[in-house]
């Protein structure tokens, strides 16, 4: 409510009338067409599972983290997904620090409905031990700059972060297979989440004149609008969620019209997200290869080393980061063919992780 | 689990297009300016309206229209297990926001500047469709308080289970994981003001389900009109007219 009041006092009557009358002739203040989105760009952070989205002037960051917890009693073999929003006061003077306000809660719940109720993220694959331990995925959304249409930007940020997130691999061990061992990312490659489809949120703003509606309202258009509707759809033609929380009444035909427009917009945004995530994944894979190329630089005299080099190279190509210990184990049989002291040197050097030329 | 039997009966014996039994009563809270109890089957909701009155928080006063505030809470005893936090949790905050914005669409706030209208809704028994029952109760309470409105707002929910559109879901059908479409309309103007949906649904089926919910809303609007005219007759009778 404070946000609404802040907008009303910041906007002058002249500005309001200007925006409204421009919309009557189908013109928007920033020059876009009525159904056009602003420029959308997605950047990823250094860690897996962090994304920053720019939608025009709106900036939102999404972070995904995971934790092992006990499952809910009524769903013992499913993991959980929770969304937390942080409306920082640096984004908009009307946001207050501390407990999330109404709009923060609404945004969190709209994104939550789109992701969880539509089963976009597969929660059954997050189960490790039924009834005892499951992965709880937590999505944190931080609003950095409120340029209007936070829902869409936050949704894209959440999806991008989920697509690039990797959770540690764990295996069952112990005496009766009841102990869970979580492997660090250096030991075993972390796994991506299983995401069935991408629910994309498209927001429409309605104005007091019946026939006027715009897609992706800016901050100023939001201050003038009489009602808003967010439709979350995926590219399979399903509607995942709709949120029209009161505001100006619109005829049913207009709602169906909006949903059809939203379907085309969702397709565009999905393509964009997938392309950027694809680029990120390739770049990430390249980074991993560079890390493992160091063992190939081993140069040791004698017939044994050639066999060793090949073994190390083939490990590389499989791109499985085995621990240094297993590398040494694989090299042990060929070591026995050489002098014992030379092989000991090599073993010692490998276990220390330092690779130098051995004359 | 089968939610619609082969003969076409639901779990509680209704037909797919059948709504639950409606019951409403006006003027239940003596101190409030307007109040109502609304029952849809086993869901029972009480609404109280205070206003228009002076704004309590001067900084929030609006110079050209009335300030509408709404608070939704569920009584601890309303659900099967005793609830831990009846208000202040995220669901209640969202539903309060939704109800407030829905009622704001129909109240003629321009006629009452610098004043405040408070709507308090409490769920006494929850069996699915609490959001809709709250909006219907709030409409009745506002009418009882004599607050000028553009039109009623009536609300109803519909779902889609076992390939059948179902009207007015109860708790069991709602928690089945199928889609739940809640619609709130202004019946005379035939405009949709509230529309919420969760879970996946293809676009063409959605149109049918929404249409069904709108029909349900219109039926509720007829019932509300009846209740209000009956109430007016009683008031006239007591006044000796």
């Amino acid at each position: 409510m404070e946000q609404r009041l802040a907008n009303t006092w910041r906007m002058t009557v002249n500005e309001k009338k200007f925006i409204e009358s421009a919309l009557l002739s189908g013109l928007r203040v920033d020059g876009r067409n009525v159904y056009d989105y602003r420029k959308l760009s997605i950047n990823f952070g250094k860690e897996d599972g962090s994304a920053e989205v720019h939608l025009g002037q709106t900036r939102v960051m999404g972070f995904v983290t995971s934790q092992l917890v006990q499952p809910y009693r009524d769903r013992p073999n499913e993991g959980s997904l929770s969304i937390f929003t942080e409306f920082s006061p640096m984004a908009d003077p009307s946001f207050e620090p501390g407990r999330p306000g109404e709009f923060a809660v609404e945004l969190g719940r709209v994104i939550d409905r789109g992701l969880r109720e539509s089963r976009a993220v597969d929660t059954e694959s997050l189960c490790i031990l039924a009834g005892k331990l499951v992965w709880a995925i937590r999505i944190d959304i931080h609003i950095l700059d409120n340029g209007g249409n936070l829902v869409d930007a936050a949704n894209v940020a959440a999806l991008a972060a989920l697509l690039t997130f990797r959770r540690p691999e764990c295996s069952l061990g112990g005496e009766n297979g009841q102990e869970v061992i979580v492997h660090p990312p250096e030991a075993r490659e972390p796994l991506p989440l299983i995401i069935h489809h991408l629910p994309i949120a498209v927001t429409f703003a309605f104005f007091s004149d019946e026939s006027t509606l715009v897609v992706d309202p800016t901050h100023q258009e939001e201050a003038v609008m009489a009602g808003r509707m967010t439709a979350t759809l995926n590219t399979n033609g399903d509607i995942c969620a709709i949120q029209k929380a009161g505001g100006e009444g619109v005829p049913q035909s207009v709602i169906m019209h909006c949903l059809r427009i939203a379907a085309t917009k969702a397709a565009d945004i999905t393509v964009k997200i997938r392309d950027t995530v694809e680029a990120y994944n390739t770049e990430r894979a390249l980074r991993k290869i560079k890390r493992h190329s160091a063992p190939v630089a081993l140069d040791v005299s004698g017939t044994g080393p050639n066999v060793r080099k090949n073994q190390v190279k083939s490990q590389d190509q499989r791109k499985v980061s085995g621990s240094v210990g297993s590398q040494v184990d694989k090299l042990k049989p060929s070591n026995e063919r050489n002098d014992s002291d030379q092989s000991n040197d090599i073993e010692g050097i490998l276990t220390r992780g330092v690779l130098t030329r051995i004359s | 689990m089968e939610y619609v039997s082969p003969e076409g009966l639901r779990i509680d014996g209704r037909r797919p297009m059948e709504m639950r039994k409606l019951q409403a009563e006006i003027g239940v809270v003596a101190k409030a300016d307007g109040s109502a109890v609304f029952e849809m089957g086993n869901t029972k909701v009480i609404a109280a309206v205070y206003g228009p009155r002076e704004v309590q928080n001067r900084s929030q006063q609006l110079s050209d229209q009335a300030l509408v505030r709404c608070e939704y809470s569920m009584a601890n005893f309303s659900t099967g297990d005793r609830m831990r936090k009846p208000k202040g949790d995220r669901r209640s905050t969202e539903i309060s926001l939704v109800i407030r914005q829905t009622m704001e669409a129909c109240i003629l706030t321009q006629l009452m500047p610098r004043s405040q209208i408070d709507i308090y809704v409490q769920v006494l028994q929850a069996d699915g469709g609490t959001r809709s029952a709250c909006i219907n109760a709030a409409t009745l309470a506002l009418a009882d308080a004599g607050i000028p409105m553009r039109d009623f707002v009536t609300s109803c929910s519909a779902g889609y289970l076992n390939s059948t559109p179902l009207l007015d879901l109860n708790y069991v059908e709602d928690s089945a994981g199928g889609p739940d479409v809640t619609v709130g309309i202004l019946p005379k103007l035939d405009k949709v003001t509230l529309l919420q949906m969760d879970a996946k649904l293809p676009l063409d089926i959605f149109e049918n389900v929404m249409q069904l919910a709108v029909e349900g809303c219109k039926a509720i609007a007829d019932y509300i009109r009846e209740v209000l005219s009956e109430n007016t007759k009683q008031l006239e009778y007591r006044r000796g007219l």
Side-chain angles (χ1 to χ4, degrees):
Chain A
M1 190 153 58
E2 285 70 27
Q3 188 184 28
R4 179 174 48 122
L5 296 174
N7 283 339
T8 46
W9 65 245
R10 262 202 296 131
M11 219 177 222
T12 60
V13 176
N14 284 346
E15 272 184 307
K16 268 197 221 162
K17 289 239 156 67
F18 182 76
I19 296 179
E20 274 173 359
S21 44
L23 278 168
L24 282 174
S25 359
L27 298 166
R28 289 172 84 166
V29 179
D30 52 358
R32 281 186 283 160
N33 274 332
V34 180
Y35 299 144
D36 276 352
Y37 253 85
R38 288 171 285 180
K39 184 168 168 316
L40 173 69
S41 69
I42 309 171
N43 298 315
F44 297 97
K46 271 175 53 177
E47 283 178 25
D48 291 331
S50 72
E52 184 183 345
V53 170
H54 292 229
L55 180 64
Q57 208 205 333
T58 304
R59 291 170 64 149
V60 177
M61 283 192 87
F63 292 98
V64 177
T65 46
S66 63
Q67 203 186 8
L68 277 173
V69 294
Q70 264 199 335
Y72 289 120
R73 255 181 302 139
D74 51 347
R75 284 176 208 219
N77 57 347
E78 277 183 30
S80 70
L81 182 74
S82 43
I83 300 185
F84 294 87
T85 53
E86 179 80 36
F87 273 45
S88 159
M90 74 171 155
D92 191 304
S94 62
F95 295 162
E96 276 168 34
R99 276 197 67 198
E102 297 182 308
F103 289 103
V105 170
E106 192 195 1
L107 187 134
R109 281 184 65 92
V110 168
I111 299 181
D112 184 69
R113 267 204 284 264
L115 282 175
R116 195 210 314 214
E117 310 263 347
S118 66
R119 310 223 184 280
V121 179
D122 186 62
T123 43
E124 283 187 8
S125 62
L126 298 172
C127 175
I128 312 296
L129 271 180
K132 300 228 182 74
L133 277 179
V134 296
W135 284 109
I137 305 289
R138 178 187 163 123
I139 306 176
D140 283 283
I141 294 179
H142 290 255
I143 313 286
L144 301 174
D145 198 351
N146 181 14
N149 198 5
L150 293 172
V151 181
D152 293 7
N155 195 51
V156 173
L159 286 171
L162 279 170
L163 283 168
T164 55
F165 174 68
R166 304 275 183 269
R167 66 169 174 88
E169 188 182 338
C170 36
S171 50
L172 295 171
E175 309 86 45
N176 49 355
Q178 293 296 305
E179 250 181 58
V180 175
I181 311 162
V182 179
H183 299 277
E186 298 83 35
R188 295 239 199 129
E189 183 77 16
L191 306 167
L193 296 172
I194 299 179
I195 298 182
H196 297 298
H197 62 95
L198 292 178
I200 308 285
V202 179
T203 302
F204 297 85
F206 305 112
F207 297 86
S208 355
D209 178 41
E210 232 185 69
S211 49
T212 337
L213 67 92
V214 297
V215 174
D216 187 21
T218 59
H219 195 44
Q220 286 139 331
E221 285 164 347
E222 278 186 351
V224 180
M225 72 182 175
R228 156 219 316 257
M229 178 169 96
T230 301
T232 308
L233 331 111
N234 63 16
T235 41
N236 302 339
D238 295 327
I239 309 177
C240 302
I242 300 185
Q243 173 86 347
K244 183 186 189 303
E248 180 79 11
V250 287
Q252 272 180 278
S253 51
V254 171
I255 294 192
M256 295 315 296
H257 178 58
C258 288
L259 289 175
R260 280 183 269 268
I261 297 172
T264 43
K265 297 294 163 198
D268 295 336
I269 297 181
T270 309
V271 164
K272 182 112 200 203
I273 296 179
R274 288 219 189 266
D275 288 343
T276 350
V277 170
E278 192 72 37
Y280 171 79
N281 281 337
T282 353
E283 196 250 318
R284 185 175 181 274
L286 284 170
R287 261 191 291 148
K288 285 235 167 248
I289 293 178
K290 283 206 190 97
R291 265 204 276 149
H292 289 302
S293 66
V296 182
L298 175 66
D299 184 9
V300 181
S301 56
T303 53
N306 289 332
V307 182
R308 261 179 253 141
K309 250 202 268 185
N310 289 338
Q311 283 180 328
V312 173
K313 250 201 214 149
S314 60
Q315 253 191 321
D316 235 20
Q317 281 154 6
R318 271 184 280 126
K319 269 197 239 150
V320 172
S321 51
S323 63
V324 181
S326 63
Q327 272 185 330
V328 175
D329 286 343
K330 286 200 173 71
L331 293 167
K332 267 201 183 110
S334 51
N335 279 351
E336 285 159 26
R337 281 190 261 124
N338 289 343
D339 299 339
S340 51
D341 51 342
Q342 195 183 29
S343 63
N344 282 341
D345 279 352
I346 293 164
E347 260 187 78
I349 287 165
L350 278 174
T351 42
R352 277 203 305 273
V354 174
L355 303 158
T356 56
R357 268 177 187 244
I358 299 166
S359 49
Chain B
M1 191 182 154
E2 211 182 63
Y3 294 98
V4 183
S5 74
E7 299 92 42
L9 292 174
R10 287 151 79 171
I11 303 176
D12 48 4
R14 284 184 284 156
R15 295 262 159 213
M17 311 248 183
E18 203 182 312
M19 208 159 46
R20 291 178 287 184
K21 181 166 180 292
L22 300 171
Q23 201 165 331
E25 206 184 316
I26 302 189
V28 285
V29 179
K31 184 151 193 303
D33 293 324
S35 58
V37 168
F38 197 87
E39 283 180 68
M40 286 169 84
N42 284 332
T43 301
K44 186 167 173 174
V45 158
I46 185 168
V49 167
Y50 288 83
R53 58 180 178 176
E54 195 178 333
V55 183
Q56 280 163 348
N57 191 352
R58 266 305 176 80
S59 61
Q60 291 175 352
Q61 200 179 64
L62 293 168
S63 57
D64 58 340
Q65 55 179 358
L67 182 72
V68 179
R69 279 182 9 171
C70 176
E71 197 178 275
Y72 164 93
S73 73
M74 296 184 76
N76 288 46
F77 46 82
S78 58
T79 50
D81 298 318
R82 187 183 167 86
M83 286 188 63
R84 264 186 323 126
K85 234 171 108 174
K87 39 176 158 178
D89 65 320
R90 289 145 65 108
R91 181 175 170 271
S92 303
T93 314
E94 194 212 348
I95 300 185
S96 304
L97 169 76
V98 164
I99 298 179
R100 189 191 85 224
Q101 288 185 199
T102 313
M103 303 324 291
E104 265 182 339
C106 76
I107 298 177
L108 291 166
T109 48
Q110 257 71 23
L111 296 180
M112 297 163 287
R114 281 181 275 272
S115 63
Q116 174 177 310
I117 299 174
D118 290 322
I119 307 173
Y120 299 110
V121 194
Q122 176 138 54
V123 177
L124 300 173
Q125 268 172 241
D127 186 27
T130 54
R131 208 172 303 217
S132 305
C134 288
I135 291 176
N136 296 329
T139 301
L140 274 172
L142 284 167
D144 186 34
I147 291 177
M149 291 197 284
R150 210 167 274 134
D151 193 357
F152 298 135
V153 184
T154 52
S155 165
C156 192
S157 65
Y160 188 75
L161 288 169
N162 290 139
S163 317
T164 338
L166 304 174
L167 180 61
D168 197 10
L169 305 171
N170 59 21
Y171 180 72
V172 182
E173 290 164 345
D174 199 358
S175 35
D180 173 19
V181 178
T182 307
V183 173
I185 63 166
L186 301 163
K188 275 249 175 69
L189 302 171
D190 204 11
K191 285 202 187 159
V192 175
T193 145
L194 166 71
L195 177 58
Q196 284 189 301
M197 194 195 98
D198 56 10
K200 271 194 296 183
L201 196 58
L203 187 61
D204 40 354
I205 301 181
F206 169 75
E207 197 170 354
N208 290 341
V209 176
M210 185 169 77
Q211 183 59 39
L212 182 61
V214 169
E215 297 296 324
C217 292
K218 292 195 178 139
I220 297 182
D222 290 334
Y223 177 70
I224 286 183
R225 225 168 267 133
E226 243 180 68
V227 170
L228 282 173
S229 56
E230 184 63 40
N231 186 47
T232 314
K233 279 200 200 121
Q234 287 291 321
L235 288 172
E236 285 178 346
Y237 178 68
R238 275 190 229 145
R239 277 207 180 172
L241 292 166

